[in-house]
Amino acid sequence: MVRETELTANDLIQPFFVLPGKNVRRAVRSMPGVFQLSVDQVVKDARAVAKLGVPAVILFGVPEKKDPVGRDAYDSDGIVQRAVRSVKSALPDLLVITDLCLCEYTDHGHCGVLRGNGKNPEIDNDATLELLGKTALVQAEAGADWVAPSGMMDGAVSAIRRALERGGKKNTAILAYAAKYASAFYGPFRDAAQSAPAFGDRRTHQMDPANGREALHEVALDLKEGADMVMVKPALSYLDVIRRVRERFDVPVAAYNVSGEYALVKAAEAKGWVDGPRVMEEILLSIKRAGADVILTYHAQEMAQRLADR
Ligand code: PBG
C-alpha cells in the first residue's frame, strides 16, 4: 500500500533486431536470450510480448547490404520498413518505434556519411541530416508511430520534424535519444547490429560520461527542435541524469537499459553468482524510481512474464 514505485509491463519497450530472410532466429552471442530475427519471427515475438501487456516495441535493422551512405535506411523497401508494415498489419494496436540512425546501415559503421578522404575522415553532420529526414519519412510511411533518432547529430530533431511535416506525417512522434553517452556499455549491441565503427569511435558526437549538466543542455536543445519525448542512455550508470531531466522538464522521459547492462546480468546469472531475475527487477525498479516514465530493455518480455506469473 505504501510502496512508492510500481513497475508494470506497461512501462516497458521491447527491442528487436530484424534481418532479411524467413524463419531466421540467430542468437546474439553476447546477449543470451536475444536474437536477430527475420520479419516473420519479429511478428511472432511481438505478438507474445503484446500479450503480456508490453505496449511498445523498437526495431533495429540489420540490412542485407551495407554501403558508405546507408541506403537501406531510407529505402521504402528497407528491412526496417518491411518489418514495420508487417508488425502494424498483424498488431495494429502495438506501438511501433523505429530507431533512426545510419550506423546500422553504413559499411564503416558510423552514424552519418563521411567527408574528407584519406587518413582522417569525419562525419559530415549537415549532409547526414538530409538522410535522417528521408529515413524518418519512409519509416513513418511504413507505419512507425514514433521515430527515435539515436545518432546525436546536431540539428537532427528539427530536420526530422521538418521532413515529417512536409511529407504529411504530422502525427508521427519523435522520441529523441537526447542525452546519449559515449559508453562502453554498447558493446553487445554492436555485435547484434553489426554496427561497430570500422575505425575511430563516437566521441565526437556522443557525450562524455563525466558530464551531467551537459545532458540538460542537450535535452533542452532537442525539445526546442520539436522532440515530443526525450531519452537518457545508458540508464544504470546515469540514474542521476534521469532524475535531473525528470525534475527539469515536463515531457515523458525514457531510459535505455542498454545491451551491456543486460549482458552483465545474464553473465553473472549464468555463472550462478547472482539471482538474475531479482537483479533484473531491482535494476528496472531503480530506473523507474529515478524518474523514467518508460524503459527500453532487452529484459522486457522476461520482466513482463515475471509480473504476470505473480
Ligand atoms: C545507434 C544505436 C546504438 C544503440 C542504440 N542505437 C549503438 C551505438 O551508439 O553504438 C545501443 C543500444 C544498446 O547498447 O543496447 N546509434
Side-chain angles (χ1 to χ4, degrees), residues 141-158:
E141 282 169 346
D145 299 293
W146 302 358
V147 296
S150 63
M152 292 290 277
M153 293 296 117
D154 292 337
V157 173
S158 60

Side-chain angles (χ1 to χ4, degrees), residues 125-149:
N125 187 94
D126 293 4
T128 301
L129 297 184
E130 198 199 317
L131 301 181
L132 295 178
K134 275 167 80 170
T135 305
L137 191 57
V138 296
Q139 291 179 342
E141 282 169 346
D145 299 293
W146 302 358
V147 296

